[in-house]
Amino acid sequence: MRAWPIRWRILAIAALNSALAVVLILLIWDGAQVLARAWADLRQVRQTERFLDQLDRDTERLQTLIHRYIGQAHPDVLARIGDLRDTLIGRLRVQARLDPLIAAPAERLREVTERFIDGFSALRDTRARIWDTYETGMAQPAREMSGLYAVIEGSGAQPSQIWPPLAKSRESFHAMMLAANAFQVAASAEAADEMRRAAAAIRRTVPVMLDLAATEVQRKALTALDARADAFGRGVDALAAEVATQARLLREEIDANADAMTGAIEGMATHVRAVEHAAQARFDRTLEAAALKLGGVALAFVILVAVVGTAVSKSISDPLRGLSGAMRGIAAGDYDRRVPGAEMRDEIGDMAAAVEVFRANAIARLRAEEELRRAKEQAEATLRDLREAQESLIEAEKLAALGGLVAGVAHEVNNPVGISLTVASTLSQRCAAVSADLEAGQLRRSQLLDFIAAVREASKQLVANLLRAGDLVESFKQVAVDRSQDNRRQFDLGQTCEQIAASLRPELRGARVALDLDLAPGIVMDSFPGPLGQVLTNLFLNAVRHGFRDRQGGSIVLSTAPSGGDRVVITVSDDGVGMSEEVARRAFEPFFTTRRDSGGTGLGLHLAFNIVTHQLGGRITLASAPGEGSRFVLTLPLVAPLEAGAPSRAA
């Protein structure tokens, strides 16, 4: 496996995981399709069950409404029966088309329901005939018989022999009416027989009463009574026949069809439950099979991934442990320890090869350390000499600012200092190159020997030139004693500026530069006149050497003015060539100069800035542009700070 790059090993594990995910997704998709179909069957079955429950309730309601209508033929009940019938038939037709599960049973149930409704229609017609028969065959003759009894009773003489049979006939009539009422309520055969017997009894009394009738009116009334009693009897027979027909219809068309509907619904429900059980079993089997498949495939892939992952892990961790041990040994100084696996072609082999190169470089570095240590000591000595030279240069610049009386000495100092700077700069570049080669592990012995020789030669030149500069500085110290005194005292600013201008006029005159003074009188300062004079001298000399270097003649203006009661503003402006934006931005930086080729050190304005901001406690600003001259503005407190670098009380 070490022959494979690590990324290929990791990609192999990722590919196995991806294959597992794809297989699981396919299995889940297949199982989901089967489960979806089984679930759809279950939902269809449950929907069918709900339909059958509703159908059973509607059938019971319809049967109940029909029995209510038979007991009380109300129009509202009939309307509800019609609505429920239409709803029931419509549901059966729609469900037979939409639900293939119960299409055939629903069609049979619809036929039974239609027979049930047809039986109700026949029953309703029979019910109408019963009411018509009752009205025409029984109620109408009974009302007429009641009137005839009144006629018979009102047309006879008192007392009469007809009254006993008439009373018996009247009693039979009342019994007949009571039986009629009982038959209307219960439609029982006993009530019908009672009505027949009462009608027959009435008819048997008629001949007796005809023999005893006293008037013609009574005889006619009795004859009519006999006819009405006979009609009532026939009406009873007809009504009994219609009631029997109604009972038969209730038994055969209503109750039998209702039982058939209930049986059909129960059969459909049994069939649906069987289908539901089959669908549920199929759903359970599918779910169990899918779970087993998923579990088996997942377990197989997990084992495979674990085996491959362990192999990949060991192919990475074991070499890394060996590499780590080798690195710790090298870091501890065991440079003879070989790095295992450097010959392999994978990433760890590349790391081992790099560590092997590091070991070789470390050995080479040990061999060169001693030589470099000696070179470092020499370089540090040279650096100390350079720092001393820098301090000497700063002191030389400060002394050079005293004026023309030391110009010759300054010129002499600039030559060795310039040579020293050149040598130091070259030496710094060589040091940087050697350091870069050292860090890159490319430093050769020949390069190191050349560098040591160059350091030795540079040291000689630096020592010679700096010794010469030191001698010149020592000779100049005595000359600068008076000017370099930093004694603090009170002085008149105008008088001090005039004295400084007077000391500089010879050099300004030689450069053909005019100096104009605009000094406000009566400004007394408690400060350091020596350092202030040095600042102004440096500004004047900077203007002469840089502002008028490309042309002859010009003017410098020195002006003073009080500011805010506790400060003074000193302005030094010239009409020279001016400075670019870049030069003006860097003017106060140490060792920055545009006259390096003419011996400039770049310390004049830097010293002026330090004196103004630290010793005098003020600030200095520069405004310049090419062709517009330069303008230096010093804002100083009338009372200088007590300590150098501290803000003044007046500020």
Side-chain angles (χ1 to χ4, degrees), residues 51-67 84 88 91-92 109 112-113 116 254 257-263 265:
F51 169 74
L52 292 178
D53 291 340
Q54 183 65 39
L55 190 65
D56 190 31
R57 289 194 296 270
D58 290 343
T59 302
E60 291 179 357
R61 288 177 56 200
L62 183 62
Q63 189 175 5
T64 302
L65 289 174
I66 289 175
H67 282 281
L84 187 56
L88 188 60
R91 284 179 179 174
L92 285 172
L109 180 61
V112 173
T113 303
F116 180 82
I254 300 301
N257 286 324
D259 293 340
M261 290 173 64
T262 302
I265 293 174

Side-chain angles (χ1 to χ4, degrees), residues 589-606:
E589 294 181 4
F591 303 107
F592 175 75
T593 179
T594 59
R595 297 297 298 275
R596 186 82 64 190
D597 56 344
S598 302
T601 62
L603 293 174
L605 292 180
H606 176 65

Side-chain angles (χ1 to χ4, degrees), residues 487-602:
N487 295 330
R488 178 183 183 132
R489 64 181 177 85
Q490 290 187 352
F491 60 91
D492 184 278
L493 179 60
Q495 294 177 0
T496 302
C497 289
E498 288 177 354
Q499 293 172 0
I500 296 171
S503 66
L504 292 174
R505 286 189 187 280
E507 184 163 344
L508 296 176
R509 190 179 300 110
R512 298 181 182 179
V513 176
L515 178 59
D516 298 329
L517 302 177
D518 183 12
L519 307 174
I523 299 177
V524 178
M525 298 183 66
D526 182 3
S527 187
F528 301 90
L532 177 59
Q534 184 177 350
V535 171
L536 295 178
T537 299
N538 285 355
L539 294 179
F540 290 145
L541 293 179
N542 185 77
V544 171
R545 295 172 183 173
H546 298 280
F548 302 103
R549 63 180 178 178
D550 296 329
R551 65 189 179 110
Q552 293 293 327
S555 63
I556 299 176
V557 178
L558 172 63
S559 64
T560 62
S563 175
D566 58 351
R567 292 182 177 273
V568 63
V569 176
I570 303 174
T571 305
V572 179
S573 59
D574 64 72
D575 57 358
V577 297
M579 307 178 193
S580 66
E581 181 180 355
E582 177 66 18
V583 173
R585 184 176 61 82
R586 302 183 59 189
F588 296 113
E589 294 181 4
F591 303 107
F592 175 75
T593 179
T594 59
R595 297 297 298 275
R596 186 82 64 190
D597 56 344
S598 302
T601 62

Side-chain angles (χ1 to χ4, degrees), residues 380-394 424 462 466 591:
E380 289 177 350
T382 303
L383 180 59
R384 287 193 298 271
D385 294 340
L386 289 176
R387 287 177 178 172
E388 293 174 0
Q390 179 181 356
E391 295 175 358
S392 299
L393 288 174
I394 294 174
L462 286 173
L466 291 177
F591 303 107

Side-chain angles (χ1 to χ4, degrees), residues 155-157 160 162 209-210 212-216 218-219:
S155 61
S160 176
I162 200 172
M209 288 187 292
L210 282 174
L212 299 176
T215 64
E216 186 64 25
Q218 284 182 340
R219 283 190 291 273

Side-chain angles (χ1 to χ4, degrees), residues 48-281:
T48 303
E49 287 179 343
R50 289 193 295 270
F51 169 74
L52 292 178
D53 291 340
Q54 183 65 39
L55 190 65
D56 190 31
R57 289 194 296 270
D58 290 343
T59 302
E60 291 179 357
R61 288 177 56 200
L62 183 62
Q63 189 175 5
T64 302
L65 289 174
I66 289 175
H67 282 281
R68 284 182 58 188
Y69 182 77
I70 293 172
Q72 182 182 5
H74 198 279
D76 292 340
V77 177
L78 182 61
R80 291 174 63 186
I81 291 173
D83 293 340
L84 187 56
R85 175 198 61 190
D86 296 338
T87 301
L88 188 60
I89 296 298
R91 284 179 179 174
L92 285 172
R93 289 176 177 173
V94 172
Q95 194 69 17
R97 289 195 301 269
L98 297 181
D99 192 352
L101 188 63
I102 59 169
E107 182 63 26
R108 290 194 298 272
L109 180 61
R110 185 183 64 81
E111 294 175 357
V112 173
T113 303
E114 289 181 349
R115 289 199 303 270
F116 180 82
I117 299 302
D118 293 340
F120 169 71
S121 298
L123 181 64
R124 187 179 60 184
D125 294 339
T126 301
R127 184 70 176 177
R129 289 195 300 272
I130 288 173
W131 284 106
D132 183 65
T133 300
Y134 177 80
E135 181 65 26
T136 58
M138 292 176 60
Q140 182 66 30
R143 287 192 294 271
E144 292 177 355
M145 289 173 68
S146 178
L148 290 174
Y149 278 118
V151 171
I152 294 171
E153 291 175 352
S155 61
Q158 296 293 338
S160 176
Q161 296 178 354
I162 200 172
W163 292 119
L166 181 61
K168 184 177 180 181
S169 178
R170 168 74 78 170
E171 183 180 354
S172 297
F173 176 76
H174 288 303
M176 184 183 69
M177 295 308 299
L178 290 175
N181 291 333
F183 186 83
Q184 186 179 6
V185 173
S188 61
E190 291 79 3
D193 293 338
E194 182 64 27
M195 287 188 294
R196 291 190 187 94
R197 286 193 294 272
I202 292 172
R203 293 192 67 189
R204 284 196 298 270
T205 61
V206 170
V208 176
M209 288 187 292
L210 282 174
D211 293 339
L212 299 176
T215 64
E216 186 64 25
V217 173
Q218 284 182 340
R219 283 190 291 273
K220 289 181 179 181
L222 289 171
T223 302
L225 180 64
D226 181 64
R228 296 297 180 270
D230 181 58
F232 186 88
R234 292 193 304 273
V236 170
D237 294 337
L239 183 60
E242 293 295 338
V243 168
T245 302
Q246 174 180 279
R248 181 184 59 79
L249 289 175
L250 280 174
R251 183 179 62 258
E252 297 177 358
E253 300 296 333
I254 300 301
D255 294 338
N257 286 324
D259 293 340
M261 290 173 64
T262 302
I265 293 174
E266 290 180 354
M268 292 169 63
T270 302
H271 175 67
V272 168
R273 283 193 293 271
V275 173
E276 179 184 9
H277 292 158
Q280 183 66 48

